[in-house]
Amino acid sequence: MITLRVNGRDHEIDADPATPLLYVLRNDLALNGAKFGCGLGQCGACTVIVDKEPVFSCLTPISAVAGRPVRTIEGLGTLDDPGPLQRAFIEEQAAQCGYCIAGMVMRAQALLERTPAPTPADTRRFMSPNLCRCGTHMRILRAIDRAARTLQAGGDNKTVSSR
Ligand code: FES
Ligand code: FES
């Protein structure tokens, strides 16, 4: 048994310690926001936050995150009550197919937690491991900038908490 702490809740997982975190999130915990894209650490669709770091959950064995705080997009808000980053992505219409978006939001979340007022260059550099096959990168960058400005203006700071 391995204890996974996901979005503030502990789960006892009976699985091979080498099982990728992504599989457990999706198949055992029904947290389907993170997506399987490449399975090779090359697209970012599976990005979640462990401690304060964005990680590729497709490459992360559950043994490596036992007892450490894991956050997924489901922890940032809900359909009825989206967090600032989620709202900004909606307002900027940053999704086309949407497959990359949960990973994008989680990497952006990690960025804004460490750099609340990123420069455009900061954002581009930090977001570069995550790819969007639909080509909405410009809208994604605008959404991150919008969320950063909202948070700096004292808006809802739900996404900067570590719940
Ligand atoms: S699915 Fe994990 S990086 Fe592509
Ligand atoms: S919106 Fe389709 S991959 Fe990014």
Side-chain angles (χ1 to χ4, degrees), residues 4-60:
L4 290 189
R5 169 161 281 257
V6 183
N7 300 330
R9 282 188 53 200
D10 285 343
H11 304 270
E12 297 298 321
I13 304 297
D14 185 9
D16 185 322
T19 307
L21 173 61
L22 178 64
Y23 296 2
V24 171
L25 292 174
R26 294 181 56 84
N27 300 337
D28 296 274
L29 303 182
L31 295 170
N32 295 310
K35 299 289 188 288
F36 185 97
C38 63
L40 298 168
Q42 294 179 354
C43 75
C46 63
T47 303
V48 300
I49 297 176
V50 178
D51 295 317
K52 292 190 176 299
E53 294 297 322
V55 303
F56 297 136
S57 62
C58 69
L59 294 183
T60 305

Side-chain angles (χ1 to χ4, degrees), residues 46-121:
C46 63
T47 303
V48 300
I49 297 176
V50 178
D51 295 317
K52 292 190 176 299
E53 294 297 322
V55 303
F56 297 136
S57 62
C58 69
L59 294 183
T60 305
I62 54 173
S63 59
V65 297
R68 298 167 64 194
V70 175
R71 282 181 287 158
T72 71
I73 194 161
E74 289 86 352
L76 298 190
T78 65
L79 212 53
D80 294 333
D81 185 22
L85 261 171
Q86 293 165 313
R87 266 205 306 277
F89 271 66
I90 295 166
E91 285 160 358
E92 293 292 343
Q93 292 285 288
Q96 283 194 29
C97 78
Y99 206 80
C100 69
I101 296 297
M104 290 286 186
V105 169
M106 293 314 289
R107 182 168 293 276
Q109 172 74 13
L111 168 67
L112 296 185
E113 288 179 5
R114 70 184 66 192
T115 311
T119 65

